Amino acid sequence: AQSVTQLGSHVSVSEGALVLLRCNYSSSVPPYLFWYVQYPNQGLQLLLKYTSAATLVKGINGFEAEFKKSETSFHLTKPSAHMSDAAEYFCAVSSHGGSSASKIIFGSGTRLSIRP
Amino acid sequence: SQTIHQWPATLVQPVGSPLSLECTVEGTSNPNLYWYRQAAGRGLQLLFYSVGIGQISSEVPQNLSASRPQDRQFILSSKKLLLSDSGFYLCAWRNRDRGEQYFGPGTRLTVT
């Protein structure tokens, strides 16, 4: 079975500061890992994904995440926070996407607030 | 390119009334389709998923049902809404050759 844990339901950083959102996963098979962002009253948007290629994955809006197998982590970072980064962020894990019955398991989400 | 539509965008319904939410996907064929619900301030709850026409898997037993009458159409229904059905409903599709899911814009349902 697969699972994902997001540490911290709410993170607050100052504008221009480093953003670090933590995600740990559990998977018995090599995982696919994802980060999604959700702005208020909108659907989820894919930020980035890891699919067993490079362990450092770059996404949209200046975000990146590093896959660390030894730590079973996939933390999301951004060097300098902007006010527009305020949103809900979801980490997710799945097994190989080719399975017709495969599902993506989502974490409980982390709300990112940016202080002026 | 692929797009996913949901309607209506917002809906206010009285307790006991029926519900029908529709989701359609364009630009892909034979996708996996999903219905999620978000209660206020909560995470995503997977309600139903479908791997093909007429094939529905239920994750949470409740007074909701889903149907897939066409390859790229997914419908969420209820015969009698409860107050607890209020929430933000999201449809998503997934290409079986790739890992990620793509989400629609959502429907805000308020049951009064």
Side-chain angles (χ1 to χ4, degrees):
Chain A
Q2 296 177 307
S3 65
V4 62
T5 301
Q6 291 186 241
L7 302 175
S9 59
H10 184 206
V11 171
S12 180
V13 303
S14 298
E15 190 174 18
L18 171 71
V19 175
L20 171 61
L21 303 183
R22 299 177 187 273
C23 173
N24 288 90
Y25 71 92
S26 173
S27 178
S28 58
V29 297
Y32 285 3
L33 293 161
F34 313 90
W35 275 100
Y36 285 84
V37 61
Q38 185 181 30
Y39 299 100
N41 294 311
Q42 295 186 25
L44 277 71
Q45 179 183 3
L46 182 67
L47 270 179
L48 49 82
K49 64 177 181 179
Y50 166 79
T51 56
S52 76
T55 57
L56 183 61
V57 181
K58 294 187 183 297
I60 62 173
N61 302 340
F63 284 93
E64 62 182 34
E66 186 172 8
F67 172 69
K68 292 186 176 180
K69 184 177 179 180
S70 61
E71 298 177 8
T72 61
S73 68
F74 191 56
H75 302 331
L76 181 71
T77 61
K78 182 175 180 177
S80 176
H82 295 169
M83 296 299 293
S84 59
D85 294 328
E88 188 89 15
Y89 291 80
F90 292 92
C91 181
V93 63
S94 79
S95 57
H96 192 284
S99 167
S100 64
S102 65
K103 293 176 286 185
I104 292 182
I105 307 301
F106 287 87
S108 55
T110 297
R111 184 162 61 91
L112 176 63
S113 299
I114 311 297
R115 303 187 298 270
Chain B
S1 64
Q2 300 86 14
T3 56
I4 178 169
H5 304 279
Q6 286 187 246
W7 65 89
T10 61
L11 191 60
V12 180
Q13 293 283 92
V15 168
S17 64
L19 173 73
S20 181
L21 303 181
E22 190 164 344
C23 170
T24 58
V25 181
E26 297 177 356
T28 188
S29 59
N30 202 24
N32 286 359
L33 296 173
Y34 307 83
W35 277 113
Y36 292 87
R37 178 171 62 198
Q38 275 184 305
R42 305 286 296 274
L44 292 166
Q45 179 185 32
L46 178 62
L47 300 175
F48 302 94
Y49 69 95
S50 172
V51 299
I53 296 175
Q55 301 179 61
I56 307 296
S57 295
S58 173
E59 290 291 301
V60 183
Q62 54 199 329
N63 69 321
L64 298 173
S65 62
S67 61
R68 185 171 177 174
Q70 301 179 44
D71 181 47
R72 290 169 290 176
Q73 183 184 31
F74 205 24
I75 297 172
L76 183 69
S77 304
S78 175
K79 293 182 179 179
K80 290 186 177 181
L81 283 169
L82 306 173
L83 285 174
S84 58
D85 291 324
S86 293
F88 193 52
Y89 287 81
L90 289 161
C91 180
W93 73 273
R94 189 181 193 195
N95 186 313
R96 298 173 196 182
D97 295 327
R98 303 178 64 177
E100 66 270 25
Q101 281 180 191
Y102 297 94
F103 286 81
T107 295
R108 174 75 59 191
L109 171 66
T110 303
V111 182
T112 61

